[in-house]
Structures are given as C-alpha cells and as structure tokens.
Amino acid sequence: MRRIPKLIVRHPVISLLFVAAVTFSVMFAVRTLDQTRHWEDYRGKRGRIEPWMTPGMIAHVWHLDRGDVIFIAGASDLSIPDRASIEEIAQERGVPVEDIIKNIEDFVRREGHR
C-alpha cells in the first residue's frame, strides 16, 4: 500500500484518468441499478398510442395481430405505404387522427395485453 502514493506522485495524469474512469463507472452502475428498480412499474404500462406510430409497431408493442390493427385503423383498403403512420392513414382517409387512435385503443382494451 505504500507504493500507491508514490505512483500517484510519479504519474499524476494517469492517476487522475484512472480515478475519473472509476468514478464514471460507479456513477453509471448506480444509475443503472436505480433504473432497474422501476422496470417492474413499466410492465403492462406501455404508454399511449401516438400519431407517429405505425400499425406494425402498435401490433408489436401490444402483442396484437398486425392485420387486425391495420383493419381497425382502416388502412386495409387504402393504397398507402406498408409502413405508414397513424397520422398518414388519417390524412389518407380524411378522418381525425384522434378517431383512429380511439378505435385502436378500444381494440387494445378489448383484446387485452397478452
């Protein structure tokens, strides 16, 4: 243990970098552990359906059939791109985005989180 102070005096820059690296490692480890405590809170709470989301993404996040979500959004009979957002589908159909989101949210509630 007597050699550590000598190393610090002989190599101050490297010692400072080492202390900084250890400090950042501990800081990020504590932050990660703190966030893992809250992971259980998010289970089953996937948030809201937003206009930028695509039917495929909604189906994936809520574990639903993609074709069902596309049908509920009213995009099955439209000639829109495969990865169109809910907002783009609403514009193509000429209906408010909120109506499509409400229909999808009702469908999610009915089908439940599998």
Side-chain angles (χ1 to χ4, degrees):
M1 291 300 271
R2 294 181 193 170
R3 293 168 55 174
I4 292 177
K6 288 181 184 178
L7 281 173
I8 293 172
V9 170
R10 284 187 192 157
H11 307 287
V13 175
I14 293 175
S15 300
L16 182 63
L17 291 174
F18 177 74
V19 169
V22 169
T23 302
F24 282 117
S25 297
V26 169
M27 181 181 70
F28 286 119
V30 168
R31 182 175 169 225
T32 300
L33 290 173
D34 181 54
Q35 289 178 352
T36 59
R37 292 184 308 131
H38 303 289
W39 286 353
E40 192 65 31
D41 294 344
Y42 295 120
R43 184 172 290 183
K45 297 179 183 177
R46 294 179 174 91
R48 264 194 105 245
I49 294 174
E50 299 289 335
W52 56 266
M53 294 179 173
T54 64
M57 178 188 177
I58 294 167
H60 177 75
V61 170
W62 277 272
H63 304 288
L64 301 167
D65 181 59
R66 185 173 177 272
D68 290 345
V69 178
I70 290 172
F71 180 76
I72 296 297
S76 58
D77 58 340
L78 300 175
S79 59
I80 58 172
D82 190 40
R83 296 178 186 251
S85 68
I86 298 298
E87 187 172 33
E88 293 167 340
I89 293 170
Q91 288 173 353
E92 183 73 24
R93 287 183 56 199
V95 297
V97 176
E98 294 78 24
D99 291 351
I100 294 177
I101 290 174
K102 183 183 177 311
N103 291 341
I104 295 172
E105 286 175 344
D106 291 343
F107 178 70
V108 169
R109 257 186 247 105
R110 271 195 322 269
E111 289 297 312
H113 303 295
R114 297 181 207 159

